[in-house]
Amino acid sequence: MKILLLDKNHPLITEQLLAKNFVLEGDFTSSYDEICQKIQNYDGVIIRSRIPLDKNFLEKGKNLKFIARVGAGMENIDIPVAEKLGIQLINSPEGNRDSVAEHVVGMLLILMNRLFIASQEVKNGIWLREENRGDELLGKTVGLIGYGNMGKATAKRFSGFGCKVVFHDILPGLADEYASQVSLDELKQSADILSLHIPLTPETHYLIDEKFISDMKKDFYFVNTARGKNIETKYLVEALRSGKVKGACLDVLEYEKSSFENLETENEDLKYLLESDKAIVTPHIAGWTHQSKEKLAQVIVDKIVASYC
């Protein structure tokens, strides 16, 4: 089988697939139009986020048998068209679930204990103790929306901090030793911390809006390591200003480019988030550890080999 690599990934992908007699070609610079002109020559494609695989692309890939995304989200692929054309879709959420879960807890610990703020103050000769009292995770109720690979790994970490973990998911029967499944209304009634672990779909686009935030019974901390457009940022900023949201940990932003390589929009809401002591913002790196780079690649190789060898 002939496979086109559109993004640079861990070298084990190339090494192991070549050892299994796949033919690999890498193209990390050609434009969307240039790739479309030659995609019919390949049986498979391995991607991250550089190029959108829309209806036009998929229809030109007349010989495509599979698309493998090194990562979890699949929103840059026209899934209904791919399924209609019989193209197998492969992703690797198992590969970075642990790094995402650790990032969630790490951001919250930094925010709730004012670690970054206090450290910078001391480095600048400011010694404030009362002003930097922290807020403990112990005893808090964590509400997760989405209970796939990321949600489950995150629940496991929070359970170790003595938190009660509840989650809402569109699929039934997912409860385990780490978390209880509840309705969305029940989650809104009980959560002290809200963390998103969902894909970006028409149903989850702006899921967290003005009404959702106002429906939360308690003032709460908000964490998003899923997709930036899962939340309507202007209402998050309003809630941070009012105190309804006590603090926000954001690894993803509504204003990111679709390739996740940078921001495409700057405005007053973003300016507030970047300047506020109540927000921690990281550049879409929750799933981006040295270990996850290798694990993501290995999962992709294993799935391709299982299907085509």
Side-chain angles (χ1 to χ4, degrees):
M1 295 183 72
K2 193 174 181 182
I3 301 174
L4 177 63
L5 312 176
L6 288 177
D7 298 273
K8 293 181 180 179
N9 287 292
H10 195 285
L12 74 80
I13 291 180
T14 301
E15 294 165 4
Q16 294 187 20
L17 290 180
L18 286 175
K20 293 290 185 179
N21 297 317
F22 290 91
V23 177
L24 305 181
E25 291 184 13
D27 188 336
F28 311 131
T29 58
S30 292
S31 68
Y32 168 87
D33 289 334
E34 290 169 333
I35 298 296
C36 282
Q37 289 174 14
K38 64 178 183 178
I39 192 60
Q40 75 275 3
N41 298 323
Y42 300 93
D43 302 290
V45 59
I46 299 177
I47 63 167
R48 282 209 318 260
S49 304
R50 186 171 73 86
I51 287 181
L53 276 58
D54 57 12
K55 183 175 186 287
N56 174 64
F57 182 102
L58 297 173
E59 288 179 345
K60 289 183 182 299
K62 299 183 184 303
N63 295 305
L64 282 179
K65 297 175 179 61
F66 74 85
I67 297 165
R69 180 167 190 272
V70 184
M74 304 285 274
E75 69 270 15
N76 59 328
I77 303 168
D78 191 327
I79 294 175
V81 171
E83 291 175 342
K84 181 179 178 181
L85 294 173
I87 301 171
Q88 181 186 5
L89 299 178
I90 300 169
N91 66 343
S92 53
E94 304 91 339
N96 61 353
R97 60 189 174 193
D98 296 311
S99 61
V100 169
E102 290 187 14
H103 198 90
V104 169
V105 175
M107 285 197 297
L108 272 171
L109 290 173
I110 290 169
L111 181 76
M112 294 171 66
N113 291 283
R114 298 176 60 84
L115 298 181
F116 183 76
I117 296 167
S119 177
Q120 289 300 111
E121 287 175 350
V122 173
K123 289 180 179 181
N124 288 311
I126 302 168
W127 189 274
L128 298 175
R129 297 185 68 221
E130 183 61 36
E131 293 85 348
N132 283 310
R133 279 191 185 271
D135 191 8
E136 296 179 9
L137 282 172
L138 179 66
K140 286 187 169 51
T141 297
V142 179
L144 309 176
I145 300 183
Y147 207 62
N149 283 279
M150 312 302 177
K152 290 176 181 177
T154 302
K156 183 177 181 179
R157 269 71 176 180
F158 277 122
S159 68
F161 280 87
C163 297
K164 177 183 178 182
V165 186
V166 298
F167 71 89
H168 175 72
D169 196 285
I170 58 174
L171 299 176
L174 299 179
D176 57 23
E177 61 188 301
Y178 302 114
S180 302
Q181 189 161 8
V182 298
S183 69
L184 196 54
D185 286 340
E186 289 177 281
L187 186 149
K188 291 176 181 178
Q189 288 295 306
S190 63
D192 300 291
I193 297 165
L194 176 66
S195 185
L196 303 187
H197 302 276
I198 49 179
L200 181 62
T201 68
E203 293 73 29
T204 64
H205 186 271
Y206 287 165
L207 174 67
I208 311 301
D209 56 12
E210 184 178 28
K211 183 178 187 308
F212 192 107
I213 292 171
S214 67
D215 284 346
M216 294 288 288
K217 181 178 180 181
K218 303 177 183 178
D219 296 345
F220 66 99
Y221 294 98
F222 177 73
V223 187
N224 192 8
T225 55
R227 289 292 183 261
K229 290 183 173 61
N230 290 141
I231 180 166
E232 202 162 358
T233 307
K234 63 180 179 180
Y235 297 119
L236 172 63
V237 169
E238 286 180 8
L240 284 166
R241 291 183 186 277
S242 71
K244 178 66 179 179
V245 172
K246 299 164 75 173
C249 300
L250 307 172
D251 182 56
V252 291
L253 290 166
E254 180 183 350
Y255 315 117
E256 284 179 80
K257 291 182 177 180
S258 60
S259 63
F260 310 138
E261 292 174 347
N262 213 320
L263 297 173
E264 62 181 359
T265 303
E266 295 185 17
N267 55 37
E268 288 302 309
D269 291 329
L270 176 61
K271 186 172 184 287
Y272 174 86
L273 292 173
L274 298 181
E275 295 178 354
S276 175
D277 287 346
K278 297 170 71 175
I280 290 179
V281 183
T282 53
H284 206 131
I285 57 169
W288 208 249
T289 61
H290 295 291
Q291 293 81 7
S292 71
K293 182 177 183 179
E294 181 173 349
K295 288 190 284 187
L296 285 166
Q298 191 63 63
V299 169
I300 287 295
V301 169
D302 290 347
K303 289 182 178 181
I304 292 172
V305 169
S307 293
Y308 298 100
C309 286

